[in-house]
Amino acid sequence: MKKNFTILAIDTSCDETSAAVTDDDHVLSNIVSSQVEFHQKYGGVVPNIARRMHQQLIKPVINEALKRAGKTIDKIDALAITVGPGLAPALEVGISTTKNLAAEYQLPIIAVNHMEAHLLSSFAKNSKGNGAFSKINSQFPILGLLVSGGHTQLVLMKNFGKYQLLGETVDDAAGEAFDKVAKMLNLGYPGGPIISELAKNGKPKYELPIPMVGSKDLNFSFSGLKTACLYKLQKIPKKQKNRQFICDFSSSFEKAVAQALIIKLKKTIEIYQPKQIVLGGGVISNITIRREARKVAGKFGLRVFVPYTQKLFTDNAAMVGVCAWYQAQRGDFIKNITTLDRQPNLSFTP
Ligand code: KG4
Ligand code: ZN
């Protein structure tokens, strides 16, 4: 394959409209237009609003990504598009836009799994070639812990394109739990960043159940913790719910989530003995979770990698472009454009 393979990547899987230009694994531009203010008053993402906003934003976002990268579309070698998992009406907008661009400019398409893109986000490098993985070679197997608003997964990466899903949440994702508990505390949406900030000024005083601590498998569950939070909050008189209480409760909740993730991370390391660990997804913005992951990995002499910039933790198209570059190297292009379709429940297949 030619060097400097330039990809225009698009992601419309949830509530961020994003386009990026990548050159091999280098990120040249990464535009993310958040719709959060339009969903905020509903306390979560409304699929039809997401679709309408993606339709309005997609063209300007693509144009901005090209402009920031200093590229015109005739310099693009391939298009990359997230086909799932995600919200069907939202995915649809990116896919139809990609199909139109492919037909108009005679470009090949690479269909990307959004979670594989989160998994490979630590492999992204900046335009100068610096990234989390720039100083070392990939040593397999690599264990990925992916924690986002829709997913909580442990994935064993035996090589690029060779993945085994080891565990995942049986109910709510960790990010969803952050968002729901924030709603119970009337903190706004999305809750993860708000709870994280408040937790910095609090102490984990409140006893909350650590989910799935006793289970033998590598799955997660966060709905019990969410319910426990609800019951606890109902029992506390309103006048006691001052700012310090909110900070302490946030800290207690954050600790329980971190523990739940770390217990399973430790178990997985013991069983599968990976060589390296990567973290991905919006929830790894949380410093307590990152610190705890480093602590446990350190006990096994393992290094933990996260993307070189926080912008690559939450949803973005640059990780899609980098993932697509690895796919392009193994010839993984869409052969028949008419078969390209959204896959809202797409997962890792062995
Ligand atoms: O990966 P992402 O952008 O989207 C999905 O693919 O779902 O993750 C979004 C999730 C939201 O639930 C948000 O509350 C959470 O990531 N999040 C955080 C933090 N920043 C974002 N959760 C905990 N701590 C944070 N600092
Ligand atoms: Zn995501």
Side-chain angles (χ1 to χ4, degrees), residues 11 13-14 85 114-115 118 148-151 281-282 313-316 319:
D11 186 289
S13 58
C14 192
H114 181 82
M115 296 314 291
H118 273 303
S148 72
H151 295 82
F313 297 5
T314 42
D315 286 351
N316 69 92
M319 66 180 189

Side-chain angles (χ1 to χ4, degrees), residues 181-201:
V181 171
K183 205 169 168 183
M184 291 173 202
L185 292 165
N186 293 319
L187 297 175
Y189 174 85
I194 308 171
I195 289 194
S196 292
E197 267 317 295
L198 293 165
K200 286 180 189 162
N201 298 314

Side-chain angles (χ1 to χ4, degrees), residues 27 30 118 121 124-125 280-281 307-316 318-319:
V27 178
N30 188 18
H118 273 303
S121 56
K125 294 170 181 165
Y308 73 82
T309 164
Q310 192 134 1
K311 200 164 174 194
L312 285 155
F313 297 5
T314 42
D315 286 351
N316 69 92
M319 66 180 189

Side-chain angles (χ1 to χ4, degrees), residues 43-250:
V45 181
V46 184
N48 280 334
I49 295 180
R51 182 197 4 232
R52 208 172 59 236
M53 293 311 298
H54 283 310
Q55 282 165 342
Q56 283 175 24
L57 293 165
I58 189 89
K59 284 273 162 59
V61 165
I62 289 172
N63 290 339
E64 190 63 19
L66 287 166
K67 193 171 137 203
R68 296 266 184 101
K71 301 275 182 194
T72 46
I73 192 121
D74 56 302
K75 294 283 185 302
I76 299 296
D77 296 307
L79 301 169
I81 177 69
T82 296
V83 292
L87 287 175
L91 290 164
E92 185 57 43
V93 179
I95 292 172
S96 61
T97 306
T98 305
K99 281 183 175 175
N100 291 340
L101 283 173
E104 191 173 347
Y105 298 99
Q106 298 294 303
L107 288 166
I109 300 178
I110 302 155
V112 175
N113 172 339
H114 181 82
M115 296 314 291
E116 184 180 352
H118 273 303
L119 181 66
L120 298 193
S121 56
S122 294
F123 290 84
K125 294 170 181 165
N126 67 14
S127 58
K128 296 193 179 76
N130 296 316
F133 267 92
S134 55
K135 292 195 179 68
I136 51 157
N137 292 318
S138 338
Q139 280 183 288
F140 297 104
I142 293 174
L143 176 61
L145 173 61
L146 308 179
V147 201
S148 72
H151 295 82
T152 310
Q153 298 180 320
L154 280 159
V155 187
L156 194 68
M157 180 176 173
K158 296 164 187 171
N159 206 330
F160 293 100
K162 293 230 173 323
Y163 312 108
Q164 186 184 349
L165 181 65
L166 302 176
E168 63 183 331
T169 182
V170 296
D171 42 53
D172 292 353
E176 213 173 334
F178 268 96
D179 297 336
K180 286 180 179 164
V181 171
K183 205 169 168 183
M184 291 173 202
L185 292 165
N186 293 319
L187 297 175
Y189 174 85
I194 308 171
I195 289 194
S196 292
E197 267 317 295
L198 293 165
K200 286 180 189 162
N201 298 314
K203 293 220 158 42
K205 281 186 184 169
Y206 298 94
E207 192 90 15
L208 292 167
I210 297 168
M212 300 285 267
V213 62
S215 83
K216 288 199 176 65
D217 58 28
L218 301 172
N219 289 328
F220 304 97
S221 162
F222 291 99
S223 86
L225 173 61
K226 181 187 68 186
T227 313
C229 288
L230 184 68
Y231 289 158
K232 196 135 227 158
L233 289 170
Q234 279 171 349
K235 277 196 206 127
I236 307 228
K238 215 171 181 175
K239 61 174 187 301
Q240 223 173 297
K241 288 180 186 155
N242 56 20
R243 194 177 155 84
Q244 193 53 51
F245 168 81
I246 305 275
C247 292
D248 291 339
F249 197 84
S250 295

